[in-house]
Amino acid sequence: RGSRTERGAAKAKGRECGGCGGCRGAERRRLRWMALGEWIGDALLEAGFSARMVFGGASMGADTVSRDAASAASGDVASSAVMAAVGTGVVLVSLGAMMTLIALAAAAPHSAAAKNTLDKIHLMRVGIAQMALSKDKKWPARPDAHIMEHVTPTAKNTKTFIFIRHGESDWNEVFNRGFSPVSFLPRLLYALAREISLIPTTDSIFIDSSLSTTGIAQALEMVAFLENDKSDRTQELRGDLDPNTKPSSVIVCSNLRRSVQTALLTLRARLKRTGERVRMMTCLQEVTFNVDGISLSKSREVTPSMGDVAPHLPADILERSVDASLNYGTKSVRSNGMLRMLEFLAWAFAQDERVIIIAGGHSLYLRYMLRNFLPADSDFVGKTKKLSNCGTIQFSITTARHDGNPVYRIDPRSMQVLYGGFFSA
């Protein structure tokens, strides 16, 4: 601390340099590195915890691990190997983020790259909170379909829903193509290398995963299908109406990039012709604990990072064709899939349009919707199997009120596959 004379000399030295260098500059740097050290400590602790959690443990890869009870023993070994590999990957990504942050903090602490890196660390925190605390797949059973068994559907209390699943994402490419070490480990390592390279940017491979090259091709294949299929069953999707007639359908998507991208790609001809905008909604966010279900888009915004999809879309497409007013940012840890489904259905039945097009919807969101609102005795394949990427189905939902609250029932006779199909998952 020094004597009073020494402290006075130090103050005098500070005045000599105009108060902008020397001691004061050193103090600012010391405080900056102290704050950075706190970030590093927190993030490394989170990295260790996330390695234990391993992206949701057995729910890894959207519940694709442990498919068969007969092979449970071998499945446990494979699952453990996958968990170890991914846990190691999480630590590597976290360490990469920290090293990047250190370099940026020293070189340009106020740069966009430094801000993006800090944002990524914040999203890691959000993702870990979701994995550790979220009950996104847990809610009390609802008797809606049974209550409404004798309710007669009418034009007033019934809406038609067309559900287009999103194309394959980067996350799907890594985790949904099997876990053979020969193919899985190279995919994982390549994805981790890409993730580390993207840390200083607004893009990511794992967080709010974008469409993969295969996913883009799947969306473009559906574009070709809609161009060639002129039947009545796809008329709503194409929006083939009189130019002076208001569309009878509204297009919505979730606030995850793969959903927005799929909507803008598959329905681009309609959007260009009608000038309408896709409603981007938090309540359509996927039912999952995984970090690919964390949205990069902040409240009432849409992230400009479109990954490999950008060359396939007009430069002004997000401003012109996406309405983010119903995007409230990423889902809360207190939310769950049913709360979001009920919020969405309440919104849908408040709209004038008779048809709701969910473009770029999510597979587990659809599965849980079918399980909860189809009659219990319905054996529709979608209750147990996933809709293919860019697969499209149509169904009707009827609503009524019970004890003052809305209840919903999917008419099993209305289920119709328009494109693609279902597969085991």
Side-chain angles (χ1 to χ4, degrees):
R1 293 167 61 183
S3 66
R4 184 176 300 175
T5 303
E6 290 171 336
R7 292 198 300 272
K11 289 181 181 179
K13 183 177 180 181
R15 285 193 295 269
E16 289 174 4
C17 65
C20 59
C23 299
R24 295 189 182 184
E27 177 66 7
R28 285 196 297 270
R29 287 192 293 274
R30 184 183 69 83
L31 293 174
R32 184 183 301 156
W33 284 105
M34 284 179 62
L36 177 60
E38 292 175 2
W39 271 107
I40 293 172
D42 288 346
L44 289 176
L45 287 173
E46 290 166 5
F49 183 55
S50 62
R52 292 176 59 197
M53 297 302 298
V54 193
F55 285 13
S59 65
M60 167 68 67
D63 299 330
T64 58
V65 180
S66 301
R67 302 169 188 273
D68 195 332
S71 60
S74 60
D76 288 344
V77 174
S79 179
S80 298
V82 171
M83 291 170 65
V86 178
T88 302
V90 173
V91 173
L92 288 174
V93 172
S94 301
L95 289 174
M98 293 307 98
M99 290 187 289
T100 303
L101 181 57
I102 290 172
L104 292 170
H110 302 296
S111 68
K115 178 182 180 300
N116 292 335
T117 304
L118 291 174
D119 286 344
K120 291 285 178 66
I121 294 173
H122 169 69
L123 289 171
M124 288 181 193
R125 294 180 179 216
V126 173
I128 290 168
Q130 285 286 345
M131 290 185 289
L133 305 174
S134 172
K135 297 182 178 180
D136 210 35
K137 299 182 180 180
K138 299 178 181 178
W139 55 79
R142 290 179 59 89
D144 294 49
H146 176 70
I147 291 171
M148 294 188 59
E149 190 172 357
H150 301 294
V151 174
T152 303
T154 66
K156 186 176 181 180
N157 67 1
T158 302
K159 297 268 188 185
T160 297
F161 292 79
I162 301 176
F163 187 103
I164 307 169
R165 188 190 171 195
H166 63 78
E168 182 192 70
S169 68
D170 287 324
W171 175 278
N172 297 149
E173 183 179 47
V174 175
F175 297 111
N176 287 18
R177 294 189 181 182
F179 295 107
S180 166
V182 176
S183 59
F184 172 65
L185 289 178
R187 292 198 310 270
L188 176 62
L189 293 174
Y190 177 62
L192 287 169
R194 290 176 65 196
E195 184 69 47
I196 291 172
S197 71
L198 293 173
I199 285 172
T201 74
T202 57
D203 202 355
S204 175
I205 301 300
F206 297 126
I207 301 171
D208 195 354
S209 205
S210 179
L211 290 183
S212 66
T213 53
T214 299
I216 295 170
Q218 291 165 341
L220 295 178
E221 287 171 4
M222 186 174 180
V223 170
F225 166 74
L226 291 176
E227 288 176 349
N228 296 323
D229 188 310
K230 302 300 181 182
S231 65
D232 292 343
R233 67 176 186 162
T234 59
Q235 184 178 25
E236 284 293 348
L237 285 173
R238 298 192 312 270
D240 289 346
L241 301 170
D242 186 296
N244 299 318
T245 303
K246 181 181 178 181
S248 59
S249 56
V250 59
I251 305 171
V252 297
C253 69
S254 85
N255 59 354
L256 296 175
R257 287 190 298 170
R258 55 192 180 274
S259 178
V260 178
Q261 293 164 342
T262 301
L264 296 178
L265 280 174
T266 57
L267 301 180
R268 63 185 185 183
R270 169 177 170 160
L271 295 174
K272 182 178 179 180
R273 184 173 64 255
T274 64
E276 62 192 302
R277 305 180 78 189
V278 180
R279 314 280 184 89
M280 179 181 176
M281 308 177 75
T282 296
C283 59
L284 286 171
Q285 204 166 341
E286 175 65 306
V287 185
T288 182
F289 304 126
N290 294 332
V291 294
D292 69 323
I294 301 298
S295 177
L296 287 171
S297 295
K298 298 178 181 178
S299 181
R300 292 179 172 79
E301 296 180 3
V302 53
T303 179
S305 180
M306 287 290 109
D308 294 334
V309 179
H312 300 274
L313 297 171
D316 63 342
I317 189 72
L318 297 180
E319 295 179 5
R320 176 164 47 85
S321 299
V322 179
D323 177 359
S325 62
L326 296 174
N327 169 34
Y328 305 123
T330 199
K331 60 190 178 185
S332 165
V333 72
R334 294 182 295 274
S335 177
N336 65 48
M338 179 54 67
L339 291 176
R340 295 197 298 280
M341 281 186 268
L342 293 176
E343 180 183 347
F344 168 67
L345 290 173
W347 176 89
F349 277 92
Q351 306 309 301
D352 294 332
E353 292 83 0
R354 62 179 181 82
V355 179
I356 311 296
I357 299 174
I358 305 172
H362 301 284
S363 61
L364 295 182
Y365 193 103
L366 174 65
R367 182 186 294 179
Y368 285 117
M369 180 177 279
L370 297 178
R371 287 180 178 178
N372 283 273
F373 298 116
L374 272 171
D377 59 357
S378 170
D379 60 355
F380 183 68
V381 64
K383 281 186 170 183
T384 56
K385 295 186 177 181
K386 277 188 176 183
L387 185 63
S388 60
N389 290 116
C390 289
T392 306
I393 64 169
Q394 177 176 308
F395 52 90
S396 297
I397 299 182
T398 301
T399 187
R401 298 195 75 81
H402 178 73
D403 291 338
N405 296 311
V407 289
Y408 305 94
R409 180 180 186 270
I410 298 176
D411 184 352
R413 299 167 300 178
S414 69
M415 306 300 301
Q416 182 182 5
V417 176
L418 302 182
Y419 179 73
F422 290 85
F423 67 96
S424 299

